[in-house]
Amino acid sequence: MNRMLLLGGVVLVGIATAASSLFTVHQTEQVLVTQFGEPIRVINDPGLHAKIPFIQTVISFDRRLLDYDAPGEEVILSDQRRLIVDSFTRFRITDPLLFFQTVGAQEAGIRARLSSVVVSALRRVLGNEPLLAVLSSDRARIMTEINRQVNEEARRFGVAVEDVRIRRADLPEENTQAILSRMQSERERVAREARAEGAEVAARVRAGADRERTVILAESQAQADTLRGQGEQEAIRIFAEAYQRDPEFFGFYRAMQAYREAFSEGETRLVLTPDSEFFRYFRQSRPGLPVPGVRPTPGAEAEPNGAAAQAAPAPASPAPANPAPAN
């Protein structure tokens, strides 16, 4: 029974020893074997490998591409502008032995080292560039220079930096507000200039339209005056011809027009002498008939020819508002 227990113990110890002496290296790993804390060898080939049990230790490092996101850092450019730069870095461990000797067995150590290296490279390179270069097509050249400097610094840690990129480059909050205010002022200035130019064009068009309107009205008025003058000339000629044909009828016609114009309102008052020419046709139609609107002179006698006798002048009374027509 004791022999069986002893044999079982020996078998278990042998299995444990074999298990501790064998290890596997994956395709995504690279291994550093240390003995009492001292590095012995580096294994890059994947597969099953052996080591001295309980004496040697296996430290694995990832051979894939690793990333590091740096926090935003304030950088002063060559034109004294300030930027908050947010960057990220892609790297891989190329020398596990050097990495172990300079950084240690943990990947967290290299991240702290890369933070200072990346920030220093950003400040050195961006400190020699103006803001317009950072925001223009020169940014690729700037990032290439930053990548080169970071890679040179990272080689002494056994790390190869594949890429360094600026994720964001923002102005500080106070600068952003000042720039936005300047941009708003500039846009308002441009808008005022556009409105002023529009008002100038509108005033020019309006002045041209007013000038053209004045010219058209003046030409129309001149043409109208010409036509009116021609019409009046023709009317005068016609009246002159009519007067020459029958002066008596023409005088009668004009007198009738004068009567119509004088008595059409119904409130007309006339102050005339008894022998006024205005009532000549009234006197000729009824000899001896008092002239409407004229008070007869006392003592006046009718003449044989039917005309009213001349009397001493007397003040004429106002004519009635509606003189009665002669029968």
Side-chain angles (χ1 to χ4, degrees):
M1 183 65 179
N2 292 332
R3 293 179 61 185
M4 293 295 294
L5 292 176
L6 180 61
L7 181 59
V10 170
V11 171
L12 290 176
V13 170
I15 293 173
T17 302
S20 62
S21 62
L22 298 176
F23 63 93
T24 303
V25 178
H26 296 279
Q27 292 86 350
T28 60
E29 294 179 340
Q30 48 191 344
V31 172
L32 174 65
V33 180
T34 62
Q35 183 174 330
F36 300 111
E38 295 294 330
I40 301 299
R41 69 181 187 276
V42 177
I43 302 175
N44 292 320
D45 299 329
L48 186 63
H49 298 271
K51 65 180 181 66
I52 301 175
F54 309 112
I55 296 177
Q56 295 181 347
T57 305
V58 177
I59 302 175
S60 298
F61 298 97
D62 200 332
R63 67 191 306 168
R64 293 174 296 183
L65 192 64
L66 305 176
D67 62 334
Y68 167 68
D69 294 335
E73 293 289 338
E74 183 174 322
V75 179
I76 300 178
L77 305 179
S78 62
D79 53 1
Q80 303 305 313
R81 301 287 183 87
R82 294 187 299 166
L83 281 181
I84 305 299
V85 179
D86 185 7
S87 63
F88 66 90
T89 306
R90 298 292 182 264
F91 68 96
R92 67 175 72 250
I93 300 173
T94 57
D95 191 344
L97 178 58
L98 183 59
F99 185 88
F100 177 76
Q101 291 173 346
T102 55
V103 178
Q106 301 296 325
E107 294 180 1
I110 191 60
R111 300 183 186 279
R113 301 291 182 90
L114 282 177
S115 177
S116 60
V117 171
V118 172
V119 171
S120 299
L122 287 174
R123 290 179 176 174
R124 282 196 303 269
V125 176
L126 294 180
N128 297 323
E129 302 291 341
L131 178 61
L132 292 179
V134 177
L135 301 179
S136 65
S137 58
D138 290 342
R139 187 166 179 171
R141 175 185 58 81
I142 295 172
M143 297 312 305
T144 301
E145 179 63 20
I146 294 174
N147 190 11
R148 186 187 64 80
Q149 295 188 14
V150 172
N151 198 16
E152 289 180 357
E153 292 289 333
R155 286 177 184 173
R156 59 192 180 91
F157 304 120
V159 172
V161 176
E162 300 292 339
D163 194 12
V164 178
R165 294 289 176 181
I166 294 178
R167 181 184 292 111
R168 294 182 60 184
D170 296 332
L171 293 170
E173 184 64 25
E174 57 274 14
N175 291 5
T176 302
Q177 295 300 326
I179 290 176
L180 291 178
S181 299
R182 286 199 299 271
M183 291 174 62
Q184 182 177 0
S185 301
E186 180 66 18
R187 293 297 94 191
E188 291 177 352
R189 183 187 65 81
V190 172
R192 287 194 297 270
E193 290 181 357
R195 284 194 292 267
E197 293 176 357
E200 180 182 359
V201 173
R204 191 183 305 115
V205 172
R206 192 177 296 110
D210 291 341
R211 182 173 61 254
E212 186 176 357
R213 171 180 174 272
T214 303
V215 171
I216 293 174
L217 289 177
E219 293 177 351
S220 301
Q221 185 65 35
Q223 186 176 4
D225 292 341
T226 301
L227 295 177
R228 187 179 298 109
Q230 294 176 355
E232 291 178 354
Q233 179 182 0
E234 183 67 16
I236 292 173
R237 186 185 64 79
I238 294 173
F239 277 119
E241 291 180 355
Y243 180 77
Q244 291 175 0
R245 290 181 181 180
D246 192 349
E248 183 65 24
F249 175 77
F250 185 78
F252 175 76
Y253 176 72
R254 294 303 298 268
M256 293 300 104
Q257 285 185 333
Y259 294 158
R260 183 177 60 187
E261 294 293 333
F263 302 123
S264 61
E265 297 295 333
E267 298 291 336
T268 305
R269 292 178 182 272
L270 299 176
V271 180
L272 301 172
T273 59
D275 57 349
S276 174
E277 186 68 19
F278 187 72
F279 295 109
R280 179 166 63 90
Y281 289 100
F282 284 94
R283 292 195 299 271
Q284 291 179 358
S285 61
R286 297 289 296 274
L289 182 69
V291 179
V294 179
R295 182 177 299 174
T297 304
E301 296 179 356
E303 295 181 356
N305 57 0
Q310 297 291 332
S317 62
N322 294 318
N327 294 328

